[in-house]
Amino acid sequence: GENVEQHPSTLSVQEGDSAVIKCTYSDSASNYFPWYKQELGKRPQLIIDIRSNVGEKKDQRIAVTLNKTAKHFSLHITETQPEDSAVYFCAASTHNDYKLSFGAGTTVTVRA
Amino acid sequence: NAGVTQTPKFRVLKTGQSMTLLCAQDMNHEYMYWYRQDPGMGLRLIHYSVGEGTTAKGEVPDGYNVSRLKKQNFLLGLESAAPSQTSVYFCASSYSRLAGAPYEQYFGPGTRLTVT
């Protein structure tokens, strides 16, 4: 099955700086890559996703890049704010079964 | 529109006891999922369903059973709880035939289960 690895496990950044989280996947058939944000005690919520026919996608301060050849994708958060502090999960899925395989998560702390 | 709801929110069980977690969705989604979340391990898929009356095993199915008798409900059962099943359980759903976009999964608020 799919194996998704996520790095780093923790990330501390100064407010206003950028944060980058990287994930690799093993199944070359994977074609959907979402990122979820989970605040303390809350449910995971989708913040951005990318499909395999696209190399980059941006939504305000958040961007995701995908390199299918190398089988890795990254989340970029610019101009970080205290409300960006949370656990972020990457995931990968194939078209046929819609199951998501999640990375272990990155705890992001934005220092004021 | 409540989205995905879970019952109960918290539960403490003794080893060997049984219980059922209920997940309900009002988005007319075809697919439903049960995950467990443990520190440092992300979300791991226990069982899932691609339609009413169907279920399938995920990554960590042992010790759990599921049923989907109605499209909007997905039940997760623990027949004989063990301390290793202490976790936070999340239900999710996806894919409406009318809305398309089958990929995004919507999560419930979670159930915190402790087995002593």
Side-chain angles (χ1 to χ4, degrees), chain B residues 54-87:
Chain B
T54 74
T55 62
K57 293 181 180 180
E59 182 185 353
V60 288
D62 293 343
Y64 305 95
N65 56 75
V66 288
S67 64
R68 190 152 178 219
L69 300 179
K70 293 183 179 180
K71 184 177 181 178
Q72 63 268 34
N73 295 338
F74 195 29
L75 278 63
L76 177 71
L78 286 73
E79 291 186 348
S80 180
S84 61
Q85 294 178 305
T86 293
S87 187

Side-chain angles (χ1 to χ4, degrees), chain A residues 31-32 36 38 42-44 46 51 89 94-95 97-100 102-104, chain B residues 4 31 33 35 37 40-43 45 48 90 102-105 107-109:
Chain A
N31 57 5
Y32 174 64
Y36 283 81
Q38 186 179 28
K42 303 291 180 115
R43 72 189 79 189
L46 180 73
R51 306 206 182 162
F89 294 98
T94 64
H95 174 75
D97 60 19
Y98 308 121
K99 292 185 296 181
L100 290 177
F102 285 86
Chain B
V4 181
Y31 300 165
Y33 315 83
Y35 294 92
Q37 183 174 34
M41 301 187 75
L43 292 138
L45 184 64
Y48 65 102
F90 285 99
Y103 297 104
E104 180 175 355
Q105 292 188 16
F107 284 81

